[in-house]
Every structure is written in C-alpha cells, then in structure tokens.
C-alpha cells in the first residue's frame, strides 16, 4: 500500500437531488450530502466531519435518520447494485452498523427511506418498474413484508411512518396517496382514493392520524384517517417567468453529465420535465415540514409558507411567508431567487428552519424573525455561503495567500479561503467560464470564457476586469502545465497529442501523439524532465523525450486529473467515478495506492498548494474538497519557507477617496454632535442644579416641620400610654370583680335549678301514673257513648233524608220555573262576564309573573334559610345535648295534656255537628215556605214591569222620530239660509252698480244740456250779424275757438280720461266691497256650520241619554232580582217579620223607581224645548240683520208637540 495519506478537511458544496438531503442531528449540528460523503456540520463552531460513502459507490440516492438520532441509513449504488448502509452516529467516529445488500426480490435502486418511531424498523421504496415497498427489521436484516405499490410505472416520491405507530405507513407519488398497515406479516391498504388523482410530491404527519400532502399544482390536502378533511390552494403573489428560469437551469445542467445511476429516481429534473407547460406557472410543493404550531411548505420558486392551526377548527391558515433573498452579485438579480425549495427541516427546539434548494444552496432562518416581520415576508439567509450549482471547470491557488479560485458552468467565479473555510468573493457573469488562473500574489486572476480571456483585479469587495483578450479556436486543448522556472509549457488535447513548448524560442520542442487516446490532464515533474498525462485509455503515462516511457493501469476506471507535489514525492489522480488515488512517486510497479471516496461525479481539476500541505479537488457535482496531505510517517509535510500569508488587499483609488471623504464627513458630524451634546449637558446640569437646590430647601423645611411634629406626637404618645395603662388597670380590676360575682351567682343558680329539676322529675312520674289511669277510664266511657250516639243519630238521619227528598222535589219544580228567567239574565250578564274575564285574565298574568319572581326569591331565601338552619342546628346541638333530659320530660307532659285536650275537642265537635244538622233541617223548612211566597210576589212584579216597559218604549220611538224630523228641518233651514244670503249679496251688488251707472248718465246728460244751451245762445247772437260778413266771420271764428278749439278738445279728452279713472277707481272699490262681503258670507256660513255641528252634538248627547234610559230600564230589571235576594236574606235573618208582611204591601217599592224615571224624561223634554227656543232666538236675530230677508212662507213648527208630550207624561 502507498504511504501517502489524504484526509478530508472541508467541503464546499451540496448534492440537492438526494432524497431527504438535509436534517438536524442536534440543535447545532446538521447533516447533508456533499460529493460522495455525508457531512456533519456544526453551525456555531464551523467544523465538518465526514461519513464517506461505500467503496466503489456511484453516488448517494437517499438518506434517512432515525427519530432517536442514533442511526443513519444511506441508499447507494455500488457497481450497479443497490446497497443500504446503516451507520451508528453515536459512535466516534461513526461506524457501519449494518449493510443490506442481499435481496430476494428484483430491485434497481432504493429511492426513498424512513425509520419507524422506535428506530427498529426501516421502510424502503424501490424505483420503477418494480416499485416495491419493503418493511425491514434492519438489525436482523430481515424482510418483514413486501408489497408492490404501483403497476403503471408511476413515480413514488416519499414514504413515512406514523410518528406514533410502527405499523401504519403513508406513501405518496404521482397519482397515489396510500395508507398501509402492517398486520400478520403483510402490508394492507386501509384507505381508498377518491376524486381525481393528484401528483403528490411531498407529505408530512401533523398528528397521529392527520397528514398534510402537497401537489405539483400548488394544492394542499389534509387527510384524517385516509379521508380528505380540508383543501387549500397556494396563491402565486408575483408573476414569475419560470420557463426562462428552467431554460437557464436545463442549459447549465446540460453540461453536467451525471451518470444515470447516480441520480435518484424520481429526480428534480424528471419532476420538472414530466410537468406540463401549463402547470409551470403553478407553485409546486416539493417539501413539507411539520412543527408544533402547524407546518411549513414550499410554495413555488423562492417561497416558503408557514401554516398555523386555527384555534376553533381543525384546519390551518396561512400565517407567514418566507422568501429567498435576491442576490446582488448575480448577473440577473431578478432571477437569482427563483429556485425551488426541495427539502426543509426544523431544529429540535423549533428555533431554526433550514432549507435546501434546486441550485445546491442551503438557507436558514430563525423562527423568531418570522414573528417579528408582521405583514411583510421574512427572508432566508445563507447557512454557510453561496455554493456552486453546476459543474466546476477551473481550479487554481496562489502562493502569498490561502486562496482558491474556481469557475463553473453556473457562470460564476468564486474565491475561497481554505484556511478559514469561507467564501471571500464571488461574481456571476452572462456566459460560462471554462478555466481560471490565480496570480501567485493572490491579487489578480485570469478567466477564460468561450471567446475571450479576462484579466481581473481581486478587490476587497469585488472582482473587476481591467483587460480583455479575444481568443478563438481553443476548444481542443484540455490542460496546460508549466515547469518550475516557467521556461516550458506542456499542453494536451482531445486529439491525443502532448506538446512541449519552449517560451524562449516559441517553438515546439517535443511531441507525443497517440490518436487512440483523448487526454484529459497533463502535469510535469519538478525537475521538468518527465511529463505525466492521463486520458481515456485508462492509463497513467510517463512521457520523456517525445516517447511514453511507462504506462500504469487505472484498473477499470478512467483518470480525469493528475497532479504531482512540488517536492516530487507524491502524486494524486482523480477518476471518472469521483474517487481520488494517492500514490508515491516514483510510481510503484504494482497496485499500491490509497483510494478515497470524494465526489459523486468525474473529477475535473486537482491542485496542490505551494507548500504541499493541502490537496484541492473539484468535480462535475459542483463540490470543492480540501484534503490534508501526510507523508509515510503520518506527519504533515513541512513548509520550505516559514513565511506567513500576506494580508494585503487591493483597493481602488476612487474607493479610498470615497471612504476617506465619508470618514471626514463622519468625523465632522461626530464633532458637531459632541458639541451639541456638551451644550445640552451643560444646560441640563444648570437646570438640574437649580432643581436640586429647590428640592433640598423644600426637603430641609419639611424635615424640620416633621421633626417638630414628631416631638409633639411623642409627647402625646407618652401621655396616652400613661392614660391607657391606668384604664387597663381599672378595667382588669373591674373584670376580676365581675368574674367573682358571676361565679358566685351562677353557682347558686345551678344549685336551685338542680333542686327544681329533681322536684319536676317526681311530679312527672306522679302525673304519668294519674294520666294513664284517666286514659283507661276515658277510653271505656268513650266507646259506650259513641255506640249510643251512632244509633240515635242514624234513626234521626233516616227521618231527615225522607224530608230532604220531598224538599228536593219542590226545589226542582221551582228551578224549572226560574230557568227561563235565568236565561234572559245570563244573556245580559255574559257580556259583563267576558269583560270581567279579560280584566281578571290580565290580573292573573300579572299575578303569575309576580309569583314566578317571588318563587325565585323564595328559592334564594330557602337556600339562605337552609344554610342558616344548618348553622343554627350546629350551634343548638350542643345546647340540645345539655338540655335533652329536661326537654324529654317536658315533651312527655305536653303530649299527655294534648291527648286530653284532643279528646275533649272531639266530644265538643260532635255535639256541635249534631246541633248544626238540626239547625239546617229547620232552616230548609223555612226556606221552602219563603220560596213559595216569593214565587207569587215575583210573578206579580214581572207582570207590572212588563206593563211599565211597553209604554216607555213607545214614547222613546216617538221622541226619536221627532228628533229626526227636527234634524231634517234644521238641515233644510241651513241650506235655504246659505242660498238666500248668496242671492242677497248678488242683488245688492247689482243694485249698487246700476245706481252708479244711472248717476253717471244723468251727470253726462246735464252737462250736455248746459253746453247745448250755451251754444244756442252764442249761435243766436251770431245770427244777429248775418248781414255783416266780417263781424259774422269773427263771431263764427270766436264760436269755433270757444267750442271747437284744440285746448278745448284736449280738456274734453282730459275730462273723459278723468271720468274713466274715476270709473275704474269706483269699480275697484266695489270689487273690494264685494270680496269683503263674500268673506263675511263665508264666515257666517262657517258660524252656521259650527252651530249645526253643535246641534248635532247635542242630538248625539240626547241619543246617549236615551241609551242611558235603556240601561236604567235594564238596571230596574236587575233590581227586581236584587230585591228578591234581599227579601230572602231578610227573611233568613228575621223570619218572624216575614210572616207578618202581607202580599198587598210588597208592590210599594216599584212606584218609587217609576217616579224617578218620569222625572228624568220630563227633564230631558224640558232641555229639548229650551234648545229649540234658543234656536228660534238665533233665527230672529239673523232676520234683523240688514240685507237678510227670510221667505214669508217658511214657518217653524209650533211647540204643540211638546205640550202633547207633557200631557202624555203626566
């Protein structure tokens, strides 16, 4: 074996597509797969420990940790065969406990696993097409049960145990949700799928019978005992272009040529490929994790939702949202957070949530932060640092610093520190980087892209390019190596050629071409004489002087990388299966090397640090391993130069100036703040000093006043103490004296009471003996007297029963006669009874309500009374015990006395009953005689009342007819009055108008006659000059000027206009008078109406009085019956008076009632007569009004009817 040893120190990377790829070992340690290792990482102390995979393993497929955290199950494929290895985590170091590799059933690989709650059983699921579910007793490597889950080659994504039951299992996959139970050596399905089949990607148990399952369409289901109880859909809050994101992932991962057997089935890529394009916009639930308050689930790219259980229901509601933050170093920050969360787990204390994503990243968040961020989504943080998400293509180190430079197909360049195990810098670009080289000083790097080379500065917080060279046609070159003095350059390519170039001449010095081999890597020995090359022919070649000196077989693997130490004593080779072989140089003849499990894909690059202490390896799985290298003695190789690493950092001038300016600004700001603070402090000191002085003065004054008060109080207290002492002494003396007196008195009373008690005892004994004798004698006499009395009274009872039967027959005959009268009375009284019933029902309701209230109060009082009684009983028990003997004696005496009194009462009661029965018989006889007399009297009264009622009713009818006629006449009078008033007003208006017109015409006529007379006289005078034409002309002109002049015409027109104005004015005046008269007429009509209404109201009152008369008639009828009852009562009280009253004197009562009725009717008639007289007076007053002329033929009826009525009543 080789004496060269390599020990893994740290790994930078994660394999995200391993099933269940992250979980907690304890509160500080997490476990995740990286390369072909399972890594234990301490979050606080930042150390890593490794659990390597099996030898010749082709990669891990699934992990499972037991609930007690003692065992870890790893599913792998070793030489195309499935293997399950169970490690004991409690052992230091971790050791293999069991290996399950012999199977009696067909299996290609195990894609998911789960431990039972007690960690004794293991559940494994195989991949399609077998799709077997195997139930293991793993410690004995025994298969307890096996069942085929699916026959349609559908993918199964997760299996799990019930956290409280070893026998219940849940399986979810594409189109399946199954619950199985292990019983009697078989697994039987206990649920039946209903509704449309869903593609269930993940599930978790939230209780012993409830499961939450998520689908590829963003739907969450709650199953209870296999039945769906609740469903919700996750809403996409932001529009996401997942197609672009997926295109980027597929483009970048197309260069990752993982072997088909290394990726678990179903993988993340297969899930994404099988999902249709229509579903890409829907959030896919790849992971669900339960905790005490509810559960967390992935909700599409970059999102995790927390659901909490509702208090009043058995359902869940979305409480918080957690997002993956945007990466500012990304070339497209909007897409940097678009990565799916594939696995999640909570820490044992539920303080931390860790998530792994499809881009091989690990994120964490403390749950307390999610509670602080109200309304806004919380954000994850990197658990360690950003990792490569695709194949690493370039690797290099420097001398002056402990830095590692890597580039990857994920378009990023990263600078790592292998001493502090951290990420120094990283940056993403828009194109893939294929190679990288780091300057020995550690300040510069050269990155090779597809068509250019970029020289970049490594600044303190950024990577900036400062020079760029365009390069074309260099795809065939796979590796380049320099010798120690940089005088030679060796290159190899896919064409099978290895060339050695001289930099001084620029010419090729040697070449070795082997077209059957495609070289992968080349290196040169420290002395520059031998070239080592590895390629596709599975050999390691030593080339010198353009020829292959020696070939070393790779033993059925392909070497992909080779590196030799600077000391020339060690060589390391990377293989296509991800292992690293350490061998001694010069190379051994036989198979002497140490092989280490490292990566889950072909190793792409390897490098040794300048001091040969650390080996670095990268591979297509995106992981970077650092190894500690030892020599044959197990000691690390000493560094040739004991020089520390450089701490210098590149910073640009502009950054320094900006920072200096910021520093100056901050300094000035600090000085200003200091000045302000000092000034404010001084002001505060001044204020506080003044306040302190004031307070001290106040407190001193208060102290002095309190001191004086204290002294006064002390003196008062001393005085009061002296008084209290004196009073106490007096009270104690009084108390002692009173006690002595009470004791003496009580002793004397007790002696007297004891003597009385003895005397009472003797008396009670004597009384007992006497009473016993008397009781015996009384019993004997009582029995004899009872027998005699019973015989005597039975004979009497027989006689009385015969008499009673005869009396009953007479009563029946009388009852028949009175039934008819009763019916009439009952009809009248039914109405009154109904009214009384309604009143008393209301009273009953009120009484019932009050009774209910009183019952409640009585219940409360009873409870109080019972509690008080209990207290009284408890307190009286003691008294009763002391006085029990005395009470017993008194009770005996009282009981004997009561018996004697009871016997006496019985004798008296029986005597009274006999007397009562005799009186009743005598009364019944008298009642029969009285009833016969009343019969005749009542018959006579009924006949007389009937005679009186008939004429009264006739009179009432006549009076009603008269009242109706009078009302009709009144209505006629009112109508005629209103009509006549209207006619009178119209005639008066016409008369006035005609009088005015007559006066006007007469005035006009008088004026015209005067004018004509004047004109005639003037004309006669003119005619006298008829023979003198000039004078005649002048006279005619004067006549014309006098009578036909314009001014005269104007005056005439003015007179006419004045006449018209006067006419209009008088017309307006008349119209106003007419309006006022109309208003007066309306008012008078309203007055007449009011009078008419008043008369109608009086008529109504008269009708009411008539009704009252009717009621009085009924009342008289009822008085007859009342008189009968009164007569009965008087006869009962005074039977001797009833015998002397004759039947002729009885009818004297009704005439008094009749006289009262006649007086009332006369009074009513008198009132009506007075009312008619008043109405006549009103009519006469209206006749005296000017302009009112009643019709002569209308006459009111005389009051002869009233005289007739008076005569009839008299």
């Amino acid at each position: 074996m080789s004496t060269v040893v390599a020990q893994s120190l740290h790994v930078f990377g994660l394999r995200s597509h391993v099933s269940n790829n992250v979980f907690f070992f304890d509160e500080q340690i997490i476990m995740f797969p990286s390369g072909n290792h399972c890594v234990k990482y301490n979050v606080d102390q930042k150390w890593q420990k490794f659990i390597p995979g099996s030898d010749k393993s082709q990669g891990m497929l699934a992990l499972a940790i037991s609930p007690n955290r003692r065992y870890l199950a790893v599913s792998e494929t070793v030489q195309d065969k499935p293997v399950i290895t169970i490690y004991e985590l409690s052992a230091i170091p971790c050791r293999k406990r069991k290996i399950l590799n012999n199977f009696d059933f067909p299996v290609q690989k195990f894609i998911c696993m789960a431990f039972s709650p007690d960690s004794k059983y293991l559940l494994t699921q195989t991949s399609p097409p077998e799709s077997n579910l195997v139930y293991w007793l793993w410690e004995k490597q025994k298969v307890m049960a096996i069942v085929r889950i699916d026959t349609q080659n559908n993918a199964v994504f997760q299996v799990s145990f019930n956290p409280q039951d070893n026998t219940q299992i849940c399986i979810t996959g594409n189109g399946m949700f199954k619950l199985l139970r292990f019983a009697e050596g078989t697994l039987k399905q206990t649920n039946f799928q209903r509704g449309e089949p869903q593609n269930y990607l993940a599930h978790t148990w939230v209780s012993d019978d409830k499961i939450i399952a998520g689908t590829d369409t963003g739907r969450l289901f709650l199953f209870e005992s296999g039945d769906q109880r609740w469903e919700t859909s996750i809403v996409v809050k932001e529009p996401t272009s997942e197609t672009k994101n997926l295109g980027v992932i597929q483009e970048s991962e197309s260069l990752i040529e993982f072997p088909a057997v290394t990726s678990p089935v179903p993988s993340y890529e297969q899930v994404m490929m099988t999902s249709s394009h229509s579903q890409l916009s829907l959030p896919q639930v790849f992971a669900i994790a339960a905790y005490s308050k509810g559960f967390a689930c992935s909700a599409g790219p970059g999102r995790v939702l927390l659901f909490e259980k509702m208090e009043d229901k058995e359902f869940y509601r979305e409480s918080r949202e957690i997002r993956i933050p945007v990466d500012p170093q990304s070339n497209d920050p909007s897409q940097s957070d678009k990565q799916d969360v594939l696995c999640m787990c909570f820490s044992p204390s539920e303080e931390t949530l860790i998530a792994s994503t499809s881009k091989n990243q690990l994120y964490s968040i403390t749950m307390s932060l999610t509670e602080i961020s109200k309304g806004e989504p919380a954000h994850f943080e990197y658990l360690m640092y950003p990792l490569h998400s695709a194949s690493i293509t370039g690797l290099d180190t420097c001398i002056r610093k402990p830095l590692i430079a890597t580039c990857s197909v994920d378009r990023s360049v990263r600078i790592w520190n292998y001493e502090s195990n951290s990420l120094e810098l990283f940056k993403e670009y828009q194109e893939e980087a294929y190679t990288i080289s780091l300057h020995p000083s550690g300040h510069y790097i050269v990155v090779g892209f597809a068509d250019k080379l970029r020289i970049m500065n490594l600044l303190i917080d950024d990577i900036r390019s400062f020079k760029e060279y365009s390069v074309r046609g260099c795809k065939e070159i796979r590796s380049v190596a320099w010798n120690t003095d940089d005088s030679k350059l060796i290159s190899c390519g896919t064409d099978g050629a290895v060339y050695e170039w001289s930099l001084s001449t620029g010419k090729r010095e040697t070449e070795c071409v082997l077209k059957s081999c495609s070289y992968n890597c080349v290196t040169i020995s420290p002395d520059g004489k031998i070239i080592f090359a590895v390629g596709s022919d599975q050999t390691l070649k030593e080339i010198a002087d353009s020829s292959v000196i020696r070939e070393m077989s790779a033993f059925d693997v392909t070497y992909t990388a080779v590196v030799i130490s600077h000391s020339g004593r060690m060589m390391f080779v990377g293989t296509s299966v991800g292992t690293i072989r350490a061998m001694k140089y010069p190379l051994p003849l036989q198979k002497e090397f140490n092989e280490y499990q490292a990566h889950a894909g072909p190793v792409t690059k390897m490098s040794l640090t300048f001091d040969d202490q650390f080996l670095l390896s990268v591979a297509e799985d995106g992981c970077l391993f650092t190894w500690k290298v030892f020599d044959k003695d197990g000691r690390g190789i000493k560094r040739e130069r004991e020089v520390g690493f450089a701490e210098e950092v590149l910073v640009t001038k502009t950054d320094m100036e900006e920072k200096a300016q910021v520093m100056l600004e901050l300094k000035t700001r600090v000085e200003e703040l200091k000045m302000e603070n000092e000034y404010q402090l001084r002001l505060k000191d001044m204020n506080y000093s003044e306040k302190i002085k004031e307070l001290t003065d106040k407190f001193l004054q208060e102290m002095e006043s309190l001191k004086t008060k204290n002294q006064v109080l002390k003196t008062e207290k001393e005085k009061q103490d002296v008084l209290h002492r004196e009073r106490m002494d007096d009270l104690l003396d009084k108390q002692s004296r009173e006690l002595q007196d009470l004791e003496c008195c009580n002793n004397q009373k007790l002696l007297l009471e004891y003597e009385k008690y003895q005397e009472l005892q003797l008396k009670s004994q004597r009384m007992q003996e006497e009473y016993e004798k008397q009781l015996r004698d009384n019993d004997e006499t009582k029995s004899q007297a009872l027998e005699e009395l019973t015989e005597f009274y039975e004979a009497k009872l027989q006689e009385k029963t015969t008499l009673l039967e005869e009396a009953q027959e007479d009563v029946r005959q009388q009852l028949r006669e009175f039934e008819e009268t009763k019916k009439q009375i009952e009809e009248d009284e039914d109405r009154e009874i109904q009214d009384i019933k309604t009143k008393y029902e209301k009273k009953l309701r009120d009484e019932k309500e009050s009774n209910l209230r009183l019952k409640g109060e009585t219940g409360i009082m009873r409870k109080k009374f019972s509690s008080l009684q209990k207290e009284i009983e408890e307190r009286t028990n003691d008294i009763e015990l002391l006085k029990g003997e005395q009470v017993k004696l008194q009770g005996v005496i009282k009981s004997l006395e009561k018996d004697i009194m009871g016997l006496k009462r019985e004798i008296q009661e029986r005597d009274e009953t006999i007397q009562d029965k005799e009186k009743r018989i005598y009364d019944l006889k008298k009642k029969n005689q009285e009833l016969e007399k009343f019969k005749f009297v009542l018959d006579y009264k009924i006949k007389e009342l009937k005679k009186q009622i008939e004429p009264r009713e006739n009179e009432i009818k006549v009076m009603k007819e008269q009242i109706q006629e009078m009302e009709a006449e009144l209505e006629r009078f009112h109508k005629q009055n209103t009509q006549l008033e209207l006619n009178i007003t119209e005639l008066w208006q016409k008369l006035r108008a005609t009088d005015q017109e007559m006066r006007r015409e007469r005035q006009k006529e008088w004026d015209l006659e005067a004018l004509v007379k004047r004109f005639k006289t003037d004309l006669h005078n003119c005619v006298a000059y008829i023979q003198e034409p000039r004078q005649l002309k002048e006279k005619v002109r004067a006549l014309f000027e006098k009578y036909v002049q314009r001014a005269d015409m104007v005056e005439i027109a003015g007179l006419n206009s004045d006449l018209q104005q006067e006419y209009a004015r008088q017309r307006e005046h008349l119209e106003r008078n007419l309006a006022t008269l109309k208003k007066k007429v309306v008012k008078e009509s309203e007055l007449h109406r009011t009078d008419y209404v008043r008369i109608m109201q009086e008529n109504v009152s008269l009708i009411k009085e008539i009704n009252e008369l009717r009621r009085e008639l009924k009342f008289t009828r009822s008085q007859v019956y009342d008189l009968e009852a009164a007569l009965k009562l008087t006869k009962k009280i005074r039977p001797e008076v009833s015998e002397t009253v004759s039947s002729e004197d009885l009818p004297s009562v009704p005439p008094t009632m009749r006289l009262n009725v006649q007086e009332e009717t006369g009074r009513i008639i008198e009132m009506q007569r007075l009312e008619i007289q008043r109405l006549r007076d009103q009519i006469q007053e209206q006749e005296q009004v000017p302009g009112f002329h009643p019709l002569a033929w209308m006459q009111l009826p005389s009051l002869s009817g009233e005289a007739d009525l008076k005569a009839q009543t008299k």
Side-chain angles (χ1 to χ4, degrees), residues 528-698:
K529 293 179 180 179
I530 300 171
I531 299 168
F532 301 92
V534 293
S536 59
D537 60 354
Q538 297 184 352
T539 58
L540 171 62
K541 296 180 176 64
E542 291 186 32
I543 301 170
D545 297 329
S546 301
S547 61
V548 178
I549 300 171
R550 182 181 174 190
E551 288 186 0
M552 182 179 176
S553 175
F555 303 101
D556 299 328
V557 295
T558 301
Y559 289 142
T560 56
V562 62
V563 65
I564 191 168
S565 65
H566 297 90
S567 63
R569 290 182 292 173
M570 298 178 293
M571 182 176 285
F572 300 93
V573 183
T575 66
S576 59
V577 295
T579 59
I580 290 173
R581 293 179 178 177
M583 55 190 72
K584 187 180 178 182
Y585 185 79
L587 296 175
L589 298 173
Q590 298 177 355
K591 188 180 178 181
E592 293 182 4
F593 54 82
N594 292 328
E595 189 168 7
Y596 301 100
Q597 296 295 323
H599 295 277
V603 177
T604 54
K605 297 288 180 183
M606 294 177 68
S607 179
L608 278 165
T609 58
F610 185 72
D611 54 4
D612 289 341
Q613 288 200 358
F614 300 99
L615 171 68
L616 313 172
S617 65
V618 295
E620 290 183 3
D621 61 359
C623 296
L624 165 63
F625 273 85
T626 60
W627 306 79
K628 181 71 174 174
V629 178
F630 297 93
D631 61 2
K632 60 182 178 180
D633 298 327
R635 294 174 297 173
I637 297 168
K638 293 181 181 179
R639 295 184 61 180
E640 293 179 359
R641 294 180 300 164
E642 293 295 329
V643 179
F645 289 116
E647 294 180 357
E648 295 84 1
V649 179
L650 287 180
V651 181
T652 60
K653 189 176 180 182
T654 55
D655 292 341
M656 287 294 291
E657 288 175 353
E658 287 176 0
K659 287 180 181 178
Q661 190 175 358
V662 170
M663 288 283 286
L664 287 170
E665 289 175 357
L666 289 170
K667 282 179 181 178
T668 54
R669 181 64 181 159
V670 168
E671 288 176 357
E672 289 174 359
L673 288 168
K674 280 181 180 178
M675 294 291 287
E676 288 177 1
N677 288 328
E678 286 176 359
Y679 179 69
Q680 288 177 357
L681 285 168
R682 286 174 186 172
L683 289 173
K684 286 179 181 178
D685 289 336
M686 295 288 286
N687 292 325
Y688 287 137
S689 61
E690 290 176 357
K691 286 180 181 179
I692 288 162
K693 286 179 181 178
E694 290 176 358
L695 289 168
T696 50
D697 294 335
K698 285 181 182 179

Side-chain angles (χ1 to χ4, degrees), residues 840-1076:
Y840 282 111
E841 282 176 356
K842 288 179 181 177
K843 286 181 180 179
L844 276 168
R845 287 172 190 167
D846 298 332
E847 290 294 328
K848 283 179 181 177
E849 290 176 358
S850 62
N851 283 329
L852 289 169
R853 289 173 190 167
L854 291 168
K855 282 179 182 177
E857 291 176 359
T858 51
I860 294 161
M861 294 301 289
R862 279 175 187 169
K863 289 178 182 176
K864 290 181 179 177
F865 183 69
S866 61
S867 62
L868 290 167
Q869 274 185 340
K870 287 177 183 177
E871 290 178 1
I872 291 160
E873 287 174 359
E874 288 174 359
R875 291 180 181 177
T876 53
N877 282 330
D878 299 331
I879 297 163
E880 286 176 357
L881 291 169
L882 295 169
K883 296 181 179 180
E885 294 177 357
Q886 187 177 355
V887 170
K888 285 177 184 178
L889 292 168
Q890 289 177 356
V892 171
I893 293 159
K894 287 178 182 178
S895 63
L896 293 169
E897 288 175 354
K898 283 179 182 178
D899 291 334
I900 293 158
M901 293 295 289
L903 291 167
K904 287 179 180 178
R905 282 174 186 171
E906 283 181 2
I907 293 159
Q908 288 177 0
E909 285 174 358
R910 296 220 175 152
D911 291 333
E912 288 173 357
T913 51
I914 292 160
Q915 291 175 3
D916 289 333
K917 285 180 180 179
E918 287 177 353
K919 285 179 183 179
R920 283 179 187 173
I921 292 160
Y922 181 72
D923 292 332
L924 287 168
K925 285 180 181 179
K926 285 181 179 179
K927 281 181 183 178
N928 286 325
Q929 293 174 1
E930 288 172 1
L931 289 167
E932 287 176 358
K933 291 175 183 178
F934 274 118
K935 181 183 174 184
F936 296 110
V937 173
L938 290 169
D939 289 334
Y940 178 75
K941 282 182 180 179
I942 289 160
K943 287 176 184 177
E944 282 190 350
L945 288 167
K946 283 180 180 178
K947 288 176 183 178
Q948 289 176 3
I949 288 162
E950 286 175 359
R952 288 283 180 85
E953 287 178 349
N954 293 326
E955 287 174 2
I956 289 160
K957 285 179 183 177
V958 172
M959 290 175 77
K960 279 183 179 178
E961 289 173 357
Q962 285 181 358
I963 289 160
Q964 288 176 358
E965 288 174 358
M966 290 173 76
E967 287 175 354
E969 285 178 1
L970 275 169
E971 287 178 358
R972 271 184 266 137
F973 283 138
H974 284 302
K975 288 178 181 177
Q976 288 172 2
N977 285 330
T978 53
Q979 190 63 36
L980 288 168
E981 285 174 357
L982 291 169
N983 291 329
I984 289 158
T985 52
E986 287 177 0
L987 290 168
W988 272 104
Q989 288 173 1
K990 287 178 182 178
L991 238 169
R992 286 171 184 169
T994 51
D995 288 336
Q996 288 177 358
E997 286 178 0
M998 284 287 289
R999 286 172 187 170
R1000 287 172 189 167
E1001 291 296 327
R1002 282 174 185 173
Q1003 187 69 35
K1004 284 180 182 178
E1005 197 176 350
W1006 293 339
D1007 293 336
L1008 288 169
E1009 285 176 357
L1011 196 139
V1012 168
K1013 284 179 181 178
R1014 285 197 302 259
F1015 184 72
K1016 281 179 180 180
T1017 54
D1018 291 334
L1019 187 76
H1020 182 71
N1021 293 326
C1022 285
V1023 169
Y1025 298 101
I1026 196 166
Q1027 292 181 359
E1028 293 179 1
R1030 286 182 182 176
Q1031 289 182 358
L1032 182 65
K1033 188 177 181 182
E1034 288 175 359
K1035 293 289 183 181
V1036 171
R1037 189 175 287 169
L1039 279 171
F1040 178 78
E1041 287 175 358
K1042 188 177 181 180
Y1043 294 103
V1044 194
Q1045 205 173 11
R1046 288 178 182 175
D1048 296 335
M1049 294 298 288
V1050 169
E1051 286 176 3
I1052 291 160
L1055 289 168
N1056 290 330
S1057 63
D1058 292 335
L1059 288 168
Q1060 286 176 359
Q1061 286 177 359
E1062 183 66 25
Y1063 175 73
R1065 188 176 59 75
Q1066 288 177 0
R1067 189 176 178 182
E1068 286 176 0
H1069 179 66
L1070 290 169
E1071 284 176 355
R1072 285 174 188 169
N1073 289 331
L1074 196 141
T1076 54

Side-chain angles (χ1 to χ4, degrees), residues 24-30 41-45 47 347-348:
F24 274 90
F25 176 69
D26 57 25
E27 194 64 35
Q28 287 82 29
I29 298 172
I30 63 165
Y41 175 69
N42 191 304
V43 179
D44 294 335
Q45 299 177 8
W47 53 256
S347 62

